Amino acid sequence: MADQLRVDAVEGRTAFSIESAGLDVIADADRKGTPRQLFWPWFGANVSVLGLSYGAFALGFGISFWQAVIAGVLGIVFSFLLCGLISLAGKRGSAPTLVLSRAAFGVRGNKLPSLVSWLLTVGWETVLTILATLATATVFERLGWGGGGITKVIALVVVGTLIVACGVLGFDLIMRAQTIITIVTGVLTVVYIALVADQVHWSAVTALPSGSSQAVLGALVFLMTGFGLGWVNAAADYSRYLPRTASSRGVVGWTTFGSSIAPVVLLIFGLLLAGSSPDLSTAIAADPIGALAEALPTWFLVPFVIVAVLGLVGGAVLDIYSSGLALLSVGLPAPRYVAAFIDGLVMIAGTIYVVFFSSDNFLSQFQGFLITLGVPVAAWCGIMLADLAGRRRDYADAELFDHRGRYGDIQWLPIATMVIATAIGWGLVTNGLASWLTWQGYLLGPLGLGGKEGAWAFANLGVLFALVAGFLVQYFAGRARVQAQEAMD
C-alpha cells in the first residue's frame, strides 16, 4: 500500500527514509494508488478506544441512550463526510490542505487559517499523548508495577518517540505504521468489547431519562468537533498522492467510511458501558482511557495498554504530520521534518504540564478546547467547501505559491467571513466548567436564547452557525472571483 502511495519517485527509498516533500507540488508521475487505500490511514487514526469514552461524554449532556445514538451517528458520519468532500481538493490539486486553501484566502491571506489549523492539530496530538501517558500509568498501578512519576516519564518517552519519529520520517512510514496499527488495534478492541460485554446492563441503559432537544443538539455538535471537524484541515494531505483521474465518489466514500465506521461502533458500545455505570462515567472524566481498564481481567491489562496506546498514536502521527505542514504554511522557513520536530517538542511540553503539574478536570478542559477551536475551523471548512464547490477545473498548482498569480495575495472576503463568523460563533457557545472560557456565550442573552444558564447555553450553536455562514457567504459572494480565476486558463 505504502509503495503505491509514494511521495517521491526516488530509487531505493524506504519507509525509514526522511520524506523530502513539504509544501511541494507532487508530480503527476509520483501520484499513484486508488481511493480504496484511503481506508487504512483514516481507519487507523480513528479506531482508538478513546471512542468508547465519548459514550460518557455524550451522556454527560443529560440525554437518553437512544438520543445519544442518534446524535452520535449523525454527528460522526456528517463530520467525516466533510473530510471526504475536502479530500477532493487533494485529488484535484497536488499540495497539502492548507496550501490548497490559498485558492480561497490568497497566498498570504491563508496564514490565518494555517495558524488556527496548527493550533488544532498540535492541541490534538498533545491531548492524545496525555491520554496515552495517563492510561499507561493507571494500568501499571493496577498491575502493581507502579503508576507514579517514573512510569509516566517512561510512558511519555516511549509514546513521544513513536509519534515524533513517524512525524519526522513522514508519509511512507506513517502509511506502513497505520496498516499495522489498524490490524492490531482492531483485533484487540474486539477482544476488549467481548471481555466487558457482561458489564452492560440494558435495564439501566434504557432507564436513562430523555433530555431536551437543545441537549441533543449540543451532544451532536460536540461529537462533530471531537471527530470529523478535528480532521477537516488535514483531509487533503493524503488524497493528494492519488492520480487526478481517481474516482471522486471513491475518494469521498472511502474517506468517510474508513474514518467513521470504528467511531460509530465504539461510541455505541461506550454508551452502553457508561449508561450501565454512573461511576464509570465519572471516572472517565478524569482519565478517559485508564478508567476503561477497571472492568478488565488482570491478564488482559497489558494487551489493553497496547491497544490504547497504539490507537492514540495512530491519531497523533497523522496530527503531527499535518501540524508540521500547517506550520510551514504559516511561514516557518524550514524543511518539513524540522517543522514536525518542533511540533513534537511543543506536544511533549504540553503533556508534561498537564500530566505532572495541572490538576484541573481533564474533561471540562478537553470540551472547551474542542468547541473553542471548533468554531473557527468550522468557518474555514464552510469557506473551503464553498470554494471547492464553485470550481470546475483543477487547481493551477504553481500559482498557489505565487502571490501575484490568479489566487492573489490576500482575499479579504473569506478572511472577514472567518473572523466575523468566529466572533459570532464564540458568542453562541459556552463551557461553564473551564474557567478560561467564561467569556464565551456573550450573545445568548441579547439574542433571547436564555443567557449562559438557559436551555440553549450548551447547544453549541456557534459551531453550526460558523459552518453554514462560511459556506453561504463564500459560495454566493465569492463565486464570481472563482469564475474569474478559472477564466485565466
Side-chain angles (χ1 to χ4, degrees):
M1 175 183 62
D3 291 334
Q4 294 176 312
L5 286 171
R6 296 174 61 188
V7 179
D8 301 311
V10 180
E11 187 68 27
R13 176 175 171 82
T14 70
F16 294 97
S17 302
I18 295 178
E19 176 190 349
S20 61
L23 301 183
D24 317 56
V25 170
I26 305 301
D28 285 343
D30 298 334
R31 300 178 65 170
K32 302 176 181 179
T34 64
R36 184 181 297 107
Q37 292 160 334
L38 291 173
F39 173 87
W40 296 103
W42 287 111
F43 184 88
N46 291 284
V47 72
S48 167
V49 292
L50 177 61
L52 295 168
S53 296
Y54 274 93
F57 300 163
L59 293 179
F61 282 83
I63 57 180
S64 71
F65 169 76
W66 290 113
Q67 287 177 321
V69 169
I70 294 172
V73 173
L74 291 178
I76 291 170
V77 175
F78 176 70
S79 63
F80 279 122
L81 175 61
L82 298 178
C83 289
L85 293 172
I86 289 182
S87 292
L88 288 176
K91 191 202 76 156
R92 295 172 63 176
S94 307
T97 313
L98 267 298
V99 171
L100 298 170
S101 176
R102 293 174 179 177
F105 288 85
V107 174
R108 288 194 290 187
N110 193 61
K111 291 183 184 295
L112 172 63
S114 296
L115 177 60
V116 173
S117 175
W118 180 75
L119 290 172
L120 180 65
T121 47
V122 167
W124 257 116
E125 68 199 47
T126 303
V127 165
L128 296 175
T129 306
I130 291 167
L131 291 173
T133 303
L134 292 176
T136 302
T138 299
V139 172
F140 273 44
E141 183 176 12
R142 184 178 166 190
L143 286 169
W145 297 350
I150 295 178
T151 300
K152 292 176 181 177
V153 169
I154 295 174
L156 175 56
V157 169
V158 173
V159 171
T161 300
L162 287 173
I163 296 170
V164 174
C166 287
V168 168
L169 293 177
F171 182 79
D172 284 341
L173 180 59
I174 289 174
M175 293 298 288
R176 293 194 181 189
Q178 290 296 74
T179 304
I180 297 171
I181 289 171
T182 296
I183 296 172
V184 174
T185 54
V187 171
L188 292 180
T189 299
V190 171
V191 175
Y192 173 88
I193 291 174
L195 289 173
V196 301
D198 61 347
Q199 303 294 317
V200 173
H201 304 291
W202 183 244
S203 58
V205 172
T206 55
L208 293 171
S210 297
S212 66
S213 56
Q214 294 94 330
V216 175
L217 181 60
L220 186 151
V221 176
F222 172 73
L223 292 169
M224 283 178 56
T225 59
F227 288 101
L229 273 181
W231 289 109
V232 289
N233 53 321
D237 292 354
Y238 303 93
S239 56
R240 66 177 172 140
Y241 301 109
L242 293 173
R244 296 179 191 270
T245 56
S247 166
S248 295
R249 288 185 178 181
V251 170
V252 176
W254 282 107
T255 298
T256 305
F257 175 70
S259 53
S260 62
I261 183 64
V264 166
V265 174
L266 292 170
L267 173 75
I268 292 175
F269 190 75
L271 289 170
L272 292 171
L273 281 179
S276 301
S277 173
D279 290 339
L280 176 61
S281 293
T282 302
I284 285 175
D287 187 358
I289 303 297
L292 296 172
E294 291 301 319
L296 286 172
T298 303
W299 66 267
F300 192 72
L301 289 177
V302 172
F304 175 78
V305 169
I306 294 173
V307 67
V309 170
L310 282 180
L312 295 168
V313 167
V317 295
L318 292 193
D319 277 318
I320 196 172
Y321 182 79
S322 294
S323 68
L325 294 175
L327 189 56
L328 294 179
S329 187
V330 171
L332 179 70
R336 183 206 59 78
Y337 60 86
V338 172
F341 185 74
I342 292 173
D343 288 345
L345 294 179
V346 174
M347 172 193 77
I348 292 172
T351 302
I352 290 173
Y353 172 75
V354 173
V355 172
F356 295 99
F357 300 102
S358 176
S359 59
D360 291 338
N361 181 277
F362 180 85
L363 177 56
S364 61
Q365 309 305 320
F366 179 53
Q367 287 178 324
F369 162 75
L370 288 180
I371 297 300
T372 300
L373 284 183
V375 173
V377 168
W380 171 85
C381 181
I383 293 168
M384 182 70 177
L385 287 174
D387 181 80
L388 184 62
R391 297 188 182 277
R392 298 294 176 266
R393 300 182 182 180
D394 291 343
Y395 295 95
D397 297 333
E399 296 190 51
L400 291 168
F401 301 86
D402 183 2
H403 66 91
R404 296 164 298 182
R406 73 182 68 192
Y407 301 121
D409 188 15
I410 300 175
Q411 299 297 340
W412 291 107
L413 174 65
I415 291 175
T417 300
M418 183 173 175
V419 171
I420 294 172
T422 298
I424 295 174
W426 278 340
L428 296 173
V429 298
T430 59
N431 191 316
L433 297 178
S435 59
W436 57 287
L437 296 175
T438 54
W439 54 271
Q440 293 180 346
Y442 44 79
L443 293 178
L444 292 169
L447 294 178
L449 296 174
K452 296 184 180 181
E453 303 299 328
W456 289 99
F458 297 96
N460 298 323
L461 289 175
V463 176
L464 292 179
F465 170 83
L467 177 65
V468 174
F471 182 87
L472 293 178
V473 172
Q474 180 66 17
Y475 186 79
F476 291 105
R479 199 170 185 177
R481 184 175 65 85
V482 171
Q483 293 173 345
Q485 290 174 352
E486 295 198 325
M488 296 180 184
D489 290 328

